Amino acid sequence: MGAVQKVEDGKFVESNSAASLAHKNTQSSNTLDKDAFLQLLVAQMKYQDPLEPTSNTEYISQYATFSELEQMQNMSASMDLFRASALVGQTVLLNVRDSQGRVTQIQGPVDFVTYEKNKAYLSIRGELYSMDDLATVADPTYLEAYKLAADWLNILNKLPAIENLSLADREKVEELKEMYDKMTDYQKEFLTDEEVDTMKKYVKKMEDMVASAEADKDDGGDDDDGGDDE
C-alpha cells in the first residue's frame, strides 16, 4: 500500500519529520563543508594564472586551513553523536519548523539515534527528527510527578458526586488519600488547591459514613434481655 500524504486547501502537507529533515538538508547545502572547501582549492590550482601562479606558501596555508576545518567538523560531529546517544530512553521536546516557517512542538521518548552525513537524528514514535530541533530534555523527576498527579486525578474524577458517595467507594477514597499522603511537596505542586480540597471533602464524608455504619452495627448487635421468668 502506498504512503498517504495529508492534503489541505488543495496542497500537499509534509509531515513534521519530513519538514525537519528537509529543513536541515537545506541548511547543510548552504554550509561550506570540507568537500566543498577541497573542491574550491583544486579549482583554484587548476585555473590559476600561469604568469602569476600561487606560491607554495599560500597553498600550504590554505591546506592547513582545510585540515583545521576538517578536524573541527569531525569534533563537532562526534559531540553531536555523543549528545544524541545520551538521549535514548529520555523524553524530549522538539521545535520543528516546516517549509512555511510554522513551528510544531513534538514530544516523546527517544527510541534510538541514527547518524547520516555528519548529522544526528532522533527517532520518536517511528519518525526521524534532526538533533538541531531539540528544545528541552524532560527531567525524570518532573515526569514521575506528572504521571503520579495524572493517576491521582484519574481516581478523583471517577468518583461519583459527593452527595452520591456510598460505602462502595470507600476503597477508592482511601487510596486517593494514601497516594496524596505519600507525595512529596514537589509532587503535590502538580495538584491545584481546589482538587486537594475536593479530596478532603470526600475523605471527611467517607469517614462520617463509616463511623455511622459502625455505630448502627453496634446498636443492632445489642439484644434485649427481657424479663425474668417467674
Side-chain angles (χ1 to χ4, degrees):
M1 180 178 178
V4 178
Q5 188 170 8
K6 185 178 180 182
V7 177
E8 288 183 0
D9 298 329
K11 297 180 180 180
F12 286 111
V13 179
E14 59 189 346
S15 65
N16 290 321
S17 58
S20 176
L21 297 177
H23 179 61
K24 300 312 168 187
N25 288 337
T26 300
Q27 286 186 330
S28 299
S29 64
N30 293 332
T31 304
L32 184 64
D33 58 12
K34 62 181 182 180
D35 294 331
F37 186 90
L38 183 59
Q39 291 176 4
L40 289 174
L41 183 59
V42 172
Q44 182 182 355
M45 296 174 62
K46 182 177 180 180
Y47 296 107
Q48 65 179 323
D49 187 350
L51 300 179
E52 296 182 4
T54 305
S55 65
N56 290 336
T57 301
E58 194 170 344
Y59 277 129
I60 293 174
S61 176
Q62 293 181 2
Y63 182 76
T65 302
F66 162 71
S67 299
E68 183 179 354
L69 173 65
E70 184 177 23
Q71 291 175 5
M72 290 178 61
Q73 288 183 335
N74 289 338
M75 182 180 298
S76 177
S78 297
M79 288 298 295
D80 284 347
L81 181 59
F82 176 78
R83 289 176 56 220
S85 299
L87 296 176
V88 175
Q90 298 195 48
T91 300
V92 299
L93 177 67
L94 307 177
N95 288 331
V96 179
R97 187 179 302 275
D98 62 18
S99 58
Q100 298 180 355
R102 296 173 301 188
V103 176
T104 301
Q105 289 192 331
I106 305 296
Q107 180 177 330
V110 179
D111 299 321
F112 64 87
V113 173
T114 186
Y115 201 64
E116 298 177 5
K117 297 181 180 179
N118 292 334
K119 284 288 184 181
Y121 294 94
L122 310 177
S123 174
I124 301 175
R125 297 190 178 95
E127 300 284 356
L128 290 179
Y129 299 94
S130 172
M131 176 72 174
D132 295 336
D133 292 329
L134 179 64
T136 304
V137 179
D139 179 57
T141 304
Y142 168 86
L143 292 176
E144 181 183 2
Y146 182 86
K147 183 179 183 304
L148 183 60
D151 292 341
W152 188 89
L153 286 172
N154 185 50
I155 297 174
L156 179 65
N157 293 333
K158 286 184 177 180
L159 288 174
I162 194 165
E163 59 270 15
N164 297 326
L165 196 66
S166 68
L167 290 175
D169 302 307
R170 180 178 179 179
E171 182 178 347
K172 290 297 182 182
V173 173
E174 291 179 347
E175 180 182 4
L176 202 65
K177 184 178 185 301
E178 183 180 0
M179 288 177 63
Y180 180 79
D181 291 341
K182 289 182 178 179
M183 287 183 182
T184 64
D185 291 339
Y186 174 73
Q187 292 169 342
K188 290 178 180 178
E189 292 177 1
F190 285 72
L191 306 175
T192 66
D193 292 339
E194 182 181 357
E195 291 164 348
V196 175
D197 288 342
T198 300
M199 176 207 68
K200 291 179 178 179
K201 291 178 181 178
Y202 274 109
V203 172
K204 181 65 171 61
K205 179 70 177 294
M206 183 56 67
E207 289 176 347
D208 291 343
M209 292 174 62
V210 171
S212 177
E214 291 178 349
D216 290 342
K217 183 178 179 181
D218 292 339
D219 291 342
D222 293 336
D223 295 327
D224 294 332
D225 293 336
D228 294 333
D229 293 337
E230 291 182 359

